[in-house]
Amino acid sequence: MNCILKKEQILFSQNIKALSLFFIPNINDFRGESAFIKKNLKDFISKKQQEILKQDILQEYKAFLQKDFDDSGELRVHQGYFSGDSHSKGKTQEDKLADDIILILKDKERLLSFDTPLRFIFSVWALQEGWDNPNIFTLVKLANSSTDTSRHQQVGRGLRLCVNSDGQRITHNFLNEDSNKFYDINRLDIVVSSKERQFIEGLQQEIKDFSFEVEYLNSKILKNLGLSEQQTNKLINYLEDNKAIEYEKINDNYTKQPNFQTIIQSEKVKELLGDKFNNFVNRFKESPNKHEQVINANKNQEIVQIRQNLTREFKELWKNINKSAKIVYKNINEKSLLDTIIAEFNKENITKEYIYFEKSQIDFATNQIKKEKIEISHKDYTTSLDKTIQTNLLDFADKNKIPLHFVLEMFNKLDKDKFYNSPKTAFESLKKIYEDIIHRYLVSVVSYEFGEHTFSNDDLFMINLAIKTKYS
């Protein structure tokens, strides 16, 4: 708990509210007369709060802590959600419980506000399906799970990029590409028993094996390194001319190419950057993953011995397999892709939908009801259709992650009558055609590029011919 409170204080200074999630064996451990977890938490928070308030800390954080207890001395920082809890307020003494459950499950904005003291959440299982909160920074398992599925669900509750109290997602870009800050903030601590240690270690290894950081470069990053506008422009032009970087129109970034490390060490780059050269090189020093994302607090680095006569063979094997690779889409012809989608869509037969009212009238002479259909003219609802099509167009771009300029260029060349005939049918047809063509097209241009070695032999081998298991 001391570590949880320390982390909470650090994140508070960065305008981020930290939540902690506890999985406990039984509901009665938190509720009822023998709720020892709730009692012990109250005693601990009460004692710890007095210690913290005596320290030289932010006045705003002191004010935040002073809301931990209500006027009657009851702790306000914890609540549990368990199967069978009501999600709506009633008119009994359970009103506060119901309000807290709504707060946990639905009102994320209020839960992440510093105006709300609640920040320790208790449950027996993984809460309801679909529940997630980006600000779970600590996950404590006081009860073991019976299946790997439930363990995955529980751990997954904390694997989210956090947001600050203003609702801004703390991404790499938000922190001006500072990887150290990014990983220091977006860090999940998990506490488990020895019975689940092997599962967590396996999950950590899986994350290591399949994690990588895509390196890119843009003018904002360079300016943050202290480069002037002139230096930035000259450097980008030089790197692009020497094919050390390649522009990606979709992301509006430059991606590093295989010869990037060689080019940035050139005398020309040193001349362009002057005293900013070291900052630039250090920022883009070669590494497939610049920050150690997973740390196992229980596992010390071990040394594995390798027989001396096998060292040369192993080095040769290591040289061949120790390379980083990336997927590359080459020779993408945007015009060809666009023309194919347009041609396929314009072949579609989308029938016109008719809108009409039905008018009923009683004929008293025959005592019968006569019905008459009154069709609405196309002019009467064209304005409404225009608005519907515009909304669907923006939604289509957003859901399919397509640049807006591409969507607009495509839409301007499509047969508009098909959209006026039936907006819903037309957009469903366009979505199917787009997904089918883009899939076939990307498969045809995909390839792989291998970069320099990921780790040097100096990193891997030590004087006594031992191998660090960190890299094995």
Side-chain angles (χ1 to χ4, degrees), residues 327-432:
I327 294 177
V328 178
Y329 295 99
K330 290 186 174 180
N331 303 320
I332 295 178
N333 189 320
E334 186 173 295
K335 184 179 183 304
S336 174
L337 179 62
L338 198 62
D339 291 343
T340 306
I341 295 172
I342 293 166
E344 287 293 321
F345 178 82
N346 287 343
K347 292 178 186 176
E348 291 289 295
N349 181 24
I350 299 175
T351 57
K352 187 175 182 179
E353 294 177 346
Y354 291 89
I355 300 176
Y356 60 86
F357 291 109
E358 188 177 80
K359 180 180 179 182
S360 299
Q361 199 169 12
I362 299 176
D363 186 345
F364 292 99
T366 60
N367 199 29
Q368 292 181 340
I369 297 176
K370 293 182 179 181
K371 294 182 178 180
E372 178 184 1
K373 289 184 178 179
I374 304 174
E375 185 177 331
I376 304 299
S377 68
H378 185 72
K379 293 181 179 179
D380 290 335
Y381 63 94
T382 295
T383 303
S384 177
L385 277 177
D386 285 338
K387 189 173 182 180
T388 299
I389 292 171
Q390 184 182 23
T391 301
N392 286 341
L393 197 63
L394 293 172
D395 189 58
F396 177 81
D398 181 60
K399 286 185 176 179
N400 292 282
K401 309 298 181 187
I402 312 172
L404 194 56
H405 76 87
F406 183 93
V407 173
L408 292 175
E409 186 177 352
M410 176 176 64
F411 183 73
N412 288 333
K413 296 179 181 179
L414 295 174
D415 186 349
K416 305 295 188 300
D417 289 340
K418 298 182 187 299
F419 291 91
Y420 284 101
N421 285 348
S422 174
K424 181 180 178 182
T425 305
F427 276 102
E428 286 176 349
S429 178
L430 181 60
K431 181 177 183 295
K432 184 177 181 301

Side-chain angles (χ1 to χ4, degrees), residues 461-466:
F461 295 96
M462 297 190 296
I463 295 174
N464 61 357
L465 301 180

